[in-house]
Amino acid sequence: MQLSKIGEFGLIEKLLKKCKNAPPEILTGIGDDAAAIKQGNKKILITTDMLLEGIHFDLSFTTFFQLGYKFLAVNISDIFAMGGNPKYFFISIGVPKNYKSEDIGELYSGILKIAGKFGVAIAGGDTCESRQGLILSGTLIGNTDKIITRAGARAGDGIFVTGTLGDSSMGLMLLKKQASEARSQEFKDKTRNLKFKTLNPKNVLPLIKKHLMPEPIPLENTSKITSMIDISDGLLIDLSHICDKSMVGAVICKDKIPVSKELAYTAKVLGTDPVDFALKGGEDYVLLFTAPQDMKTTAFKIGEIVKSGRFIIDEKGRKTKFKPEGYEHFKNSNS
Ligand code: ADP
Ligand code: MG
C-alpha cells in the first residue's frame, strides 16, 4: 500500500494493530500525545518528536537558536497535552559533516533557553553523521498525577482552545514568500490570488515569531477536563483525533474561533480568510480540550461535543460537515 494513499495516520493505525498486547503498566500507549506508564504509584509520561530539515524547518529562514527552542517546545506541548510536567530531555541529532560545531552550540542555546523556563534537564542523546540534512529527534520524559487522554470527551461537553489559532501557518506562508522556496510552482499556485503588498511589519513579525518560536502554555487546573490534545496538525485534524478516540461527534462555530488581531489584519490585506488558517493551519501548539460547558476558564469555547457527526456552523448559521483537513505526512507536499 502506497503511503501517500493511507497517510501518516493510516500508517500509525496499522502499526498500532501490529504492536497490540501492551502490558498493563502502559496506561496510555500508541495513539495519544505521550505514553503514560505506571511505575509504583507514579505516572511517567514519555513523548518523542522529530524535526527534519526540508520537512519541518528551512535553515534559510530559521536560526539554529530558534530551531532549538522550537524543538523542545513541541515536545513540551505534548507533555502539557497529557496534563503533565516536563522533566528530562534526550536529544538525538544527525548532522551533515559540513555543518559547524558553533551552529550546533547555538541549537543547544535555544534548547537550554526554553529548558530553563520550564525546569527541563538535558539527560542524554545520540550523535550521528547525516547525509540527508539536519535530523533532530527528541524524547521528553515527564510526570503527572492525573493523565488526560484524547479519549474522555462526552456528548454535552464544551470544546475549548487555550489561545488564538492560525498565526503559525500564516507566519510560515510569509516566511516562504520571502524565501527562495517561494519560487516552487505549487506555492505560486496556492498563493496566486493573494495580495502580498504593503503588509505592516508590526503585524507580520508576531506571526513569524509564533511559527519560529512557539510558546507552550500549560492548563493551570485540569480537574474538570475530560479530554485534551495539543494543536500540532491543525484544529480540524486534532479535534477529529479527539472525536475518533472518544467515539463522539463535534459541532464548532466559525465565529467563535479565536484569531489574533495580527492574523485578522494580515489576512484582510492579503484578501484571504483568517479562519481558514485557524482551522487547517498547524503548529499553533495551543491546547484543545473538552470539559463541562459551565467550567470557569479563560480558554475560548468554540463548540460542543455531540453524539455523532462533525459539523461547522458558519457566520450565517449554515451547518456543514467538516473533514480532518490540515497537515499530514505522506499526503501533503512541503511547498
Ligand atoms: P503528536 O502529533 O502529538 O506528536 P503523533 O501524531 O506524532 O502525535 O503520534 C500519535 C501517536 O502515535 C503517539 O502515541 C505516537 O507515539 C504514536 N506513533 C507515531 N509514530 C509511531 C511509530 N512509528 N511507531 C509506534 N508508534 C508511533
Ligand atoms: Mg500532540
Side-chain angles (χ1 to χ4, degrees), residues 28-45:
T28 305
I30 297 174
D32 220 300
D33 293 292
I37 300 175
K38 196 166 164 32
Q39 290 286 293
N41 53 9
K42 291 208 164 71
K43 295 178 193 103
I44 315 282
L45 297 171

Side-chain angles (χ1 to χ4, degrees), residues 230-244:
D230 67 325
I231 298 189
S232 53
D233 299 322
L235 173 63
L236 296 182
I237 287 190
D238 291 315
L239 178 56
S240 298
H241 287 318
I242 288 198
C243 291
D244 289 339

Side-chain angles (χ1 to χ4, degrees), residues 32-35 45-50 71-86 138 140 142 148 150 216 228-233 238 285-287:
D32 220 300
D33 293 292
L45 297 171
I46 305 169
T47 183
T48 184
D49 258 314
M50 284 209 285
F71 177 42
L72 178 50
V74 303
N75 281 281
I76 289 175
S77 177
D78 276 324
I79 295 290
F80 285 164
M82 301 296 289
N85 314 302
L140 182 60
I148 300 169
R150 299 174 179 182
M228 188 149 66
I229 188 169
D230 67 325
I231 298 189
S232 53
D233 299 322
D238 291 315
Y285 299 107
V286 305
L287 298 171

